[in-house]
Amino acid sequence: MKQFLIVGLGNFGFHLATHLYRKGHDVMAIDKSPVLVQSIKDLVTQAVIADATDGAALKELGVKNVDTAVVGIGSVLGDSILAVLNLQELGIPHIVAKAISDPHKKVLAKLGIQDIIFPEKDTALSMAKKLDNPNLIDYLPFMDGYGIIEIAVPEKFMGKSLKQINMTNTYGVQVVAIKDPDAKHTRFTPQADDILNPGDILILLGSEKGLDTLKTATEK
């Protein structure tokens, strides 16, 4: 069990906090809004009305003992930055922050935040990928220029081994796992002689360029 602090209880913060709590973690959720705190009080370990831009208030809550703090404030850039600075000053070892724009993301990066979440952009990118590629089941941005996708095995790959297809050298993507049609069995780190069958789902990691190359090749 880990201890999490969730700052900001909009849609992002609310769902993150309640999901982590359901997973068995100790979750403190804070927000300036009494209404938002009231809405989550029975769904997390502790819900507190507090202003994360007030360093003294955070210190009084004893939040320096948490494993990870997630700043979900997005509507006011200054509040997000102050909250991050206050949490850093308290010595919290791991801080995750939500960004709502590229400038916001750049500022957070300048503050040394490595885990920056861009929910709206990531969701839009994922949907664009799905609409663009009919075989695509899911898309997850991995890091700048790279992504992880779940894709139905293209018809031209069916009955062939991974060695025959040679995705790494041909398309610049890595096969992370293969799921069978009923999703009851997943082959992680599959072997070169593994055969791809109709209905199999591939989990791939690669650059955006490589994933696009794979898409184009499988549409021919």
Side-chain angles (χ1 to χ4, degrees):
M1 182 179 70
K2 293 183 178 179
Q3 291 182 309
F4 291 94
L5 170 68
I6 309 300
V7 179
L9 298 176
N11 287 330
F12 171 77
F14 180 92
H15 291 295
L16 179 62
T18 54
H19 185 72
L20 287 171
Y21 180 71
R22 287 198 299 271
K23 288 291 185 180
H25 297 292
D26 187 334
V27 179
M28 176 188 288
I30 69 172
D31 197 286
K32 292 189 293 185
S33 167
V35 174
L36 293 178
V37 171
Q38 178 67 22
S39 70
I40 203 173
K41 70 179 182 67
D42 296 324
L43 304 174
V44 293
T45 310
Q46 186 178 6
V48 181
I49 301 170
D51 184 354
T53 66
D54 184 343
L58 286 178
K59 190 173 182 179
E60 288 180 8
L61 290 175
V63 300
K64 67 178 182 179
N65 297 316
V66 302
D67 298 298
T68 297
V70 182
V71 179
I73 302 171
S75 58
V76 181
L77 180 60
D79 286 357
S80 170
I81 294 169
L82 276 174
V84 167
L85 289 171
N86 287 333
L87 292 169
Q88 288 178 323
E89 198 167 292
L90 289 172
I92 291 178
H94 184 209
I95 300 173
V96 179
K98 170 187 172 183
I100 60 168
S101 66
D102 285 322
H104 188 183
K105 183 177 180 180
K106 288 179 181 178
V107 172
L108 292 170
K110 289 288 186 182
L111 294 175
I113 302 301
Q114 295 182 336
D115 289 336
I116 302 172
I117 304 166
F118 210 148
E120 289 82 1
K121 183 177 180 179
D122 291 346
T123 300
L125 182 58
S126 179
M127 179 56 66
K129 291 284 185 182
K130 290 180 183 180
L131 293 173
D132 180 55
N133 187 346
N135 288 323
L136 186 65
I137 297 169
D138 200 7
Y139 172 84
L140 176 67
F142 180 66
M143 56 185 292
D144 285 346
Y146 289 82
I148 298 174
I149 66 170
E150 281 192 27
I151 187 171
V153 172
E155 186 175 351
K156 69 182 296 182
F157 291 167
M158 293 179 186
K160 295 182 179 180
S161 69
L162 293 180
K163 182 178 181 179
Q164 289 176 296
I165 300 167
N166 195 12
M167 288 194 200
T168 302
N169 292 325
T170 306
Y171 307 108
V173 300
Q174 179 69 44
V175 182
V176 178
I178 303 172
K179 295 197 295 188
D180 62 22
D182 59 11
K184 290 183 178 179
H185 179 67
T186 300
R187 288 172 276 169
F188 291 99
T189 59
Q191 303 302 306
D193 58 356
D194 281 351
I195 303 297
L196 298 181
N197 301 305
D200 279 347
I201 296 170
L202 297 174
I203 301 176
L204 307 173
L205 168 64
S207 66
E208 296 289 349
K209 181 179 179 181
L211 295 173
D212 286 341
T213 300
L214 174 64
K215 169 185 173 293
T216 301
T218 54
E219 287 178 340
K220 294 178 181 179

